[in-house]
């Protein structure tokens, strides 16, 4: 198929193991060099001193520790049991031989914990944080550990903190050392200051929920100077800025929508047309980013965001429906009957919480979850650049018979076109020989997109790699890498083999795959 924008036309070359490359001078090439299978591996963190990789994921309430000293021969080292500390482990981060683990309470609405271990799995200390602690990260200078406390509701059947705890960010002061850590080292950056009203465009829609309860921190990026943190509020389609020293949320920013009626943002919206049809549609994509990373360019901080999208679906309230079930405003959509056919927009997943712009009971606009893209924004949240329909165009060219497949079943061509498409979820940014690269995971069809983002206003595609075997059986574990989530860049100076690496952890297949990174020859 023809790829018509972003300089992609005529630049693609398909190799034997699903890799699509852009012939850009001075760019890089990823090559897989090792894989290891666990029960589930969603998030990974690497300790360069011990050359150990720490992974978490799935129902197992433990940290799996792998030896990465020979990445072509990954081996298990030990497991760390988290059952004594709570009901489930959500994330892990390492620095200077210290392992920090986020553990939610058995009652998920109760405060969770962060537990600290050494590399041998010995507990050093623990502190209490907010409800449903998820992603956590050390600041670059090692002075603080930040925790995104998502505070997801149990349901929406009753009001109150017992059902829907407040979202927050815990700021843990590590300057006194981890071994002597006490609860006094933990401060909470909360959102109560916005209970009187959030900025326009921030989605506040949970029934009976205050603003502080409704906001759900998802992921954190920290500035290179360790002073500022940016926090994605995925379901709210918003971004929070945190001053780390004072543990204060200083601002909230709505992220807006992507206009899919523009050719640059075209999408395939139907799983019932038996075809790849990436065309403009009268739909607004709620960016709803999951992962965020920060880097500096030209003396300014920029954010890179994976615009996955996520709907709320709880007992007593669920926002998700299909366009075919909406009552569309006749003036806004004069061809509604045609538009709502299954092979057009009828199957596209949309929301009942957003779209009735004049409160008259029908939908004046159609919104969908995620934008099927990644974005670059300023430190204040202003959009600088977006990849538009690149991901669907590139995967359609690379895998025309597997386009928009789901992540746990082969032979599922086009099955995700109605539901977030390739679904970009994880990402990281790494500096290789003076240039900045973004590595973005696609949760559904699989694989990693590589872009050069050195100039935040003019990024370009470099490579798409995918370790999935579409001839295998997902249930039998013979389909290769399925559902990439965590993406970890290891620079050459920290690598066990003196070569930059990318480590990708996969939720469905449980595989940990290591790619070597080298300049294009």
């Amino acid at each position: 198929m023809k790829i018509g924008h972003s300089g992609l036309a005529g630049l693609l070359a398909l190799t034997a193991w699903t890799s699509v490359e852009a012939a850009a001078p001075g760019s890089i090439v990823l090559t897989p060099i090792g894989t290891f299978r666990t029960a589930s591996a969603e998030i990974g963190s690497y300790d360069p001193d011990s050359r150990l990789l720490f992974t978490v994921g799935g129902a197992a309430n433990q940290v799996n520790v792998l030896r990465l000293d020979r990445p072509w021969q990954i081996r298990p080292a030990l497991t760390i049991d988290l059952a004594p500390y709570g009901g489930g482990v959500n994330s892990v981060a390492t620095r200077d031989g210290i392992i920090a683990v986020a553990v939610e309470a058995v009652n998920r609405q109760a405060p969770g914990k962060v537990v600290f271990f050494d590399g041998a799995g010995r507990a050093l200390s623990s502190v209490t944080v907010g409800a449903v602690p998820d992603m956590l990260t050390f600041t670059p200078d090692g002075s603080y550990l930040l925790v995104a406390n998502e505070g997801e509701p149990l349901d929406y059947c009753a009001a109150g903190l017992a059902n829907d705890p407040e979202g927050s960010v815990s700021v843990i002061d590590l300057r006194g050392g981890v071994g002597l850590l006490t609860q006094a080292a933990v401060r909470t950056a909360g959102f109560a200051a916005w209970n009187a009203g959030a900025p326009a465009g921030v989605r506040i829609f949970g029934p009976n929920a205050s603003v502080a309860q409704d906001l759900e921190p998802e992921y954190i990026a920290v500035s290179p100077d360790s002073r500022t943190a940016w926090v994605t509020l995925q379901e709210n389609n918003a971004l929070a800025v945190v001053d780390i020293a004072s543990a204060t949320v200083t601002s909230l920013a709505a992220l807006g929508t992507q206009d899919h009626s523009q050719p640059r943002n075209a999408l395939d919206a139907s799983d019932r047309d038996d075809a790849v049809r990436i065309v403009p549609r009268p739909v607004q994509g709620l960016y709803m980013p999951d992962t965020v990373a920060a880097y500096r360019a030209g003396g300014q901080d920029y954010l890179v965001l994976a615009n996955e999208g996520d709907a709320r679906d709880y007992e007593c309230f669920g926002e998700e429906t299909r366009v075919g079930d909406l009552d569309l405003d006749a003036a806004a959509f004069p061809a509604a009957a045609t538009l709502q056919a299954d092979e057009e927009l009828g199957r596209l997943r949309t929301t009942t919480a957003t779209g009735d712009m004049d409160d008259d009971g029908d939908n004046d606009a159609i919104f969908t979850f995620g934008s099927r893209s990644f974005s670059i924004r300023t430190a204040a949240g202003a959009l600088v650049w977006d990849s538009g329909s690149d991901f669907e165009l590139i995967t359609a060219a690379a895998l025309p018979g597997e386009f928009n497949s789901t992540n746990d079943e082969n032979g599922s061509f086009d099955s995700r076109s109605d539901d977030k498409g390739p679904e970009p979820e994880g990402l990281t940014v790494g500096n290789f020989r003076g240039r900045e690269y973004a590595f973005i995971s696609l949760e559904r069809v699989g694989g990693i997109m590589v872009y050069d983002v050195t100039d935040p206003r003019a990024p370009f595609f470099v490579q798409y790699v995918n370790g999935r075997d579409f001839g295998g059986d997902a249930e039998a574990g013979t389909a290769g890498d399925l559902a990439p989530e965590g993406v970890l860049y290891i620079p050459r100076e920290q690598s066990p083999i003196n070569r930059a690496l990318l480590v990708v952890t996969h939720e469905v297949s449980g595989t940990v795959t290591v790619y070597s990174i080298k300049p294009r020859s």
Side-chain angles (χ1 to χ4, degrees), residues 64-75:
N64 294 309
V65 187
L66 306 176
R67 299 190 188 279
L68 212 64
D69 53 332
R70 298 195 297 272
W72 55 88
Q73 189 181 21
I74 305 169
R75 309 174 314 282

Side-chain angles (χ1 to χ4, degrees), residues 258-454:
Q258 176 146 282
D259 186 355
H260 289 294
S261 71
Q262 299 298 311
R264 178 73 174 80
N265 302 324
L267 80 166
D268 188 318
S270 176
D271 62 340
R272 296 290 175 85
D273 58 0
D274 297 320
V276 177
R277 268 205 309 162
I278 305 170
V279 296
R281 294 292 195 178
V283 172
Q284 297 295 314
L286 296 160
Y287 287 105
M288 293 181 155
D290 185 332
T291 310
V292 57
Y295 75 110
R296 288 186 70 81
Q300 302 294 319
D301 290 324
Y302 289 91
L303 307 178
V304 186
L305 303 103
N307 301 314
E308 178 193 24
D310 198 14
R312 283 180 172 159
D313 184 17
Y314 293 96
E315 188 176 353
C316 298
F317 175 75
E319 66 169 308
E320 189 173 88
T321 188
R322 295 186 187 273
V323 171
D325 295 324
L326 294 178
D327 180 11
L328 296 179
D329 181 85
F333 300 101
T338 300
L339 201 63
Q340 291 180 290
D342 282 354
E343 63 273 19
E344 299 299 331
L345 286 183
R347 295 279 299 168
L348 183 68
R349 294 193 184 272
T350 185
T351 174
T352 59
T354 309
D356 183 3
M357 317 304 284
D358 53 10
D359 296 319
D360 66 350
D362 58 25
N363 278 67
D364 308 285
I366 299 171
F367 293 86
T368 194
F369 305 104
S371 61
R372 311 188 184 195
S373 68
F374 85 101
S375 299
I376 298 182
R377 294 179 180 266
T378 67
L383 186 65
V384 171
W385 181 89
D386 187 87
S387 63
S389 54
D390 280 8
F391 292 170
E392 285 195 302
L393 290 168
I394 294 167
T395 55
L399 299 163
E402 314 296 345
F403 173 74
N404 277 354
S405 294
T406 194
N407 57 13
D408 58 2
E409 182 182 3
N410 280 343
S412 54
F413 168 81
D414 206 28
S415 64
R416 297 294 300 190
S417 290
D418 63 319
D419 192 5
K420 296 180 279 189
E423 202 165 330
E425 179 173 15
L427 66 79
T428 191
V429 174
N431 187 287
F432 184 88
R433 297 194 176 187
R435 299 195 69 84
E436 300 285 349
Y437 293 90
F439 306 89
I440 307 104
S441 65
L442 303 184
E443 182 179 6
R444 298 298 169 174
V445 71
I448 303 296
M449 290 285 178
V450 185
Y451 277 71
D452 186 314
V453 296
T454 306

